[in-house]
Amino acid sequence: GRLTTAYTIGGVVGPYTGGLLGAKGDYFLSAKIAAVVSLFAAALSMLLPVAAAAPPSATSATTASITEKTPQEGQPWSERASVVFKLAGFLIMVKLVSSTANSMSSSAQSVILKNDLGFTEADMGFFMSSQFAFGGFANGFLLAPVTKLMGGNSRAVVSNCVLTMALGYSAQAVLRSESLGILSAMPAMFQTYAFIGLAMFLSIFQYSLGTSITAESTKIVPEDMKGTLIGMEHCIFSAARILTPTIGISILNNAGVSVLYATCASIFLSVAGAWTALAGRFLPPQHEKGS
């Protein structure tokens, strides 16, 4: 709880402070300060106590049926990763593809706010801080009611959230379409609020989607391999986020805002179709726990 609180405070204060520093004209000042603070944090990490590793628990029967070795017997990471992917690979791919669309959208968001909606550096910092604060509020207070609204169990939530994200990105594509000109006659302030409001609205379901996929994947993966699952997810998503910002910005520059959001909507529609057609095949029945 304290770690999450500290991270949230940094995510709220950091962008706002960076925006104020950038507004003074020196775009490198915040980077220099961040480098010094990061080195200080790295030095502080050397003072952390080293905890003794807890003995691993026995693996489940499902894992034993896939491989004869257990983590206690020195099972290689590659074998554990293979087991995890056999059990939760479909969920990992769903989360990867959906986060790819979200990354494409978020990478272009700053460019849209600055170039199309006229945000200054200070405005950008304030928006990013507000967005992070809203994310904390949504995770703390909106996750439970949204989960209940979307069906209650994790698989229903995934399906409904994916469809909601597809509809939301479709709405952004229609509203930002220059050929349709829906917002062109509206005041600039209204266009800004419409864009930000819809982005905030989609972020609620984005959090619910990611949380529900994680809940489902950790439920079907044995206890001794949950660490492997989390590590695989972070590695895959980090690799994907190296490429997706470039793709998102390229679509934005070459085809425009509307096509970018239409592409994101198409990705989510593809995920919805794959989930409907393949979830029953690759996932165990819901009444089976941890299998």
Side-chain angles (χ1 to χ4, degrees), residues 41-67:
L44 288 178
S45 68
M46 300 176 65
L47 303 178
L48 294 174
V50 179
S57 60
T59 56
S60 68
T62 300
T63 308
S65 66
I66 298 176
T67 175

Side-chain angles (χ1 to χ4, degrees), residues 4 13 43 50 68 75 86 88-89 113 122 143 154 185 191 196 230 243-244 251 285:
T4 303
V13 176
V50 179
E68 295 179 357
Q75 183 180 8
K86 288 178 181 178
L113 290 172
L143 193 59
S154 56
Q191 296 185 34
I196 293 176
I230 300 301
L243 300 175
T244 50
I251 296 175

